[in-house]
Amino acid sequence: MAPPSEEPTDGAVSPADYRTLCDLLRERTGLSFTEAKRYYVQRRLAERVEATRMPSVRDYLNLLRFQASGAEMQLLVNLMTVNETYFFREKYQLDCLVNGMLDEVVRHRRPGERVRLWSAGCATGEEPYSIAITLLERWPRVDEFQIELYASDIDSMALDRAREGVYGERSLQALPAELVERYFRPVAPGSWRIIDELRESVDFSLVNIVDPAQVRRFTGIDVVFCRNLLIYFDDLGRRNAAAMFHEALSPGGFVALGHSESMSRMSSLFVPRRFPDAILYQKPAEGAGA
């Protein structure tokens, strides 16, 4: 007699297939989904199984595992990621950027040298554009240096929206009216597009931060904004991400995390720095003790 099958008969995902999917997502993206997320994951999985016309979840998992192009994995990841954000979110860190952090970064640099900032997990672009607006509006030395602003995400559809730069009232809710007027142009009722000069100032790219080959281009970074991304990783994924940021940063560079995240729980590579506006995490300067 054959052993009882673990394959459900009601359209749900079997425990074994759910574990396989979660392991695959963690391995490929760093995203960690627990049993508590089963309903959320199962709904999105069902969408892709239907769209690909796979005869079963197990066949779909084989497609994810062996498809050379990785196109289907990208489509699934786009469904799995959460892109809830808005301009000037957690503004106190933007205040810190221009009230002290950047002045410390450029203390020993000559005018014309580069300053590199990276928005990791930029979603639909509100964060890097908020950084750009803050620099233009509030950092008196912005014209003295060559500012390079990078933004990356694992969600290709979110990046398309970021490059397009069109936003609704919800995204703009925390922006003063004068900044909306200065940096946006109306394109439809309740919809505005960020000006071309600002869109062209941000280098957007599709990056999986758990893939060493994809993050290799980020070197000599002075400030990393990685807010509310690592909460979706497990402990090992967070430690690996912290090590990757440490490698990407210049000596003395900073990491800004989300308000519920703490680098001290992830890594001992960084030194907490308390500024008047926020607590940041700093890569020790060369020759400095940790």
Side-chain angles (χ1 to χ4, degrees), residues 77-102:
V77 166
N78 290 353
L79 283 178
M80 293 291 188
T81 50
V82 178
N83 295 308
E84 178 64 28
T85 186
Y86 51 88
F87 282 86
F88 283 18
R89 185 179 186 183
E90 298 184 3
K91 180 177 174 291
Y92 61 91
Q93 291 182 338
L94 298 174
D95 296 338
C96 185
L97 180 68
V98 294
N99 289 341
M101 201 192 322
L102 280 177

Side-chain angles (χ1 to χ4, degrees), residues 5 22 32 47 50-51 67 78 87 97 104 113 122 124 136 140 157 163 176 208 213 242 251 256 262 265 275 283:
S5 172
C22 291
S32 178
E47 288 183 41
E50 181 178 359
Q67 186 183 43
N78 290 353
F87 282 86
L97 180 68
E104 184 168 325
E113 292 188 338
C122 69
T124 46
L136 290 171
M157 292 179 65
R163 294 186 183 100
N208 179 351
S262 172
R265 301 186 193 131
F275 288 86
K283 175 178 178 176

Side-chain angles (χ1 to χ4, degrees), residues 37-254:
K37 292 284 189 180
R38 173 184 279 271
Y39 179 72
Y40 173 87
V41 172
Q42 188 169 288
R43 285 186 59 191
R44 283 146 185 80
L45 177 62
E47 288 183 41
R48 293 310 307 161
V49 171
E50 181 178 359
T52 55
R53 300 182 179 179
M54 287 289 109
S56 70
V57 169
R58 203 150 297 172
D59 289 305
Y60 179 76
L61 293 176
N62 285 331
L63 173 66
L64 290 179
R65 188 181 288 112
F66 300 117
Q67 186 183 43
S69 69
E72 183 54 35
M73 175 61 80
Q74 183 64 63
L75 291 171
L76 181 64
V77 166
N78 290 353
L79 283 178
M80 293 291 188
T81 50
V82 178
N83 295 308
E84 178 64 28
T85 186
Y86 51 88
F87 282 86
F88 283 18
R89 185 179 186 183
E90 298 184 3
K91 180 177 174 291
Y92 61 91
Q93 291 182 338
L94 298 174
D95 296 338
C96 185
L97 180 68
V98 294
N99 289 341
M101 201 192 322
L102 280 177
D103 287 335
E104 184 168 325
V105 164
V106 302
R107 182 179 298 162
H108 301 296
R109 297 190 191 176
R110 295 185 298 272
E113 292 188 338
R114 292 185 300 189
V115 175
R116 290 181 162 182
L117 303 99
W118 177 16
S119 170
C122 69
T124 46
E126 287 91 335
E127 179 175 90
Y129 289 137
S130 293
I131 294 170
I133 292 171
T134 301
L135 293 176
L136 290 171
E137 289 290 315
R138 300 181 52 202
W139 194 41
R141 304 187 67 185
V142 66
D143 291 328
E144 294 182 33
F145 299 93
Q146 181 182 338
I147 308 294
E148 296 180 357
L149 181 49
Y150 302 97
S152 67
D153 203 273
I154 198 172
D155 185 335
S156 60
M157 292 179 65
L159 286 169
D160 287 342
R161 291 177 58 192
R163 294 186 183 100
E164 184 67 17
V166 176
Y167 299 98
E169 294 177 353
R170 183 176 179 84
S171 288
L172 302 178
Q173 60 184 310
L175 272 180
E178 61 268 24
L179 295 186
V180 175
E181 183 176 351
R182 190 171 302 149
Y183 294 106
F184 296 81
R185 299 292 178 263
V187 292
S191 183
W192 293 262
R193 187 180 192 189
I194 202 158
I195 60 173
D196 291 347
E197 292 85 347
L198 223 56
R199 288 194 304 113
E200 293 166 2
S201 72
V202 181
D203 180 353
F204 289 102
S205 57
L206 182 68
V207 172
N208 179 351
I209 67 170
V210 304
D211 185 338
Q214 293 187 29
V215 299
R216 197 168 292 134
R217 66 179 290 236
F218 297 98
T219 60
I221 302 296
D222 295 300
V223 182
V224 174
F225 282 81
C226 183
R227 305 188 293 181
N228 307 306
L229 170 62
L230 300 184
I231 57 175
Y232 299 105
F233 287 26
D234 61 13
D235 289 342
L236 177 60
R238 293 185 191 105
R239 288 195 296 271
N240 290 341
M244 179 274 298
F245 288 140
H246 186 270
E247 182 70 19
L249 282 166
S250 294
F254 294 93

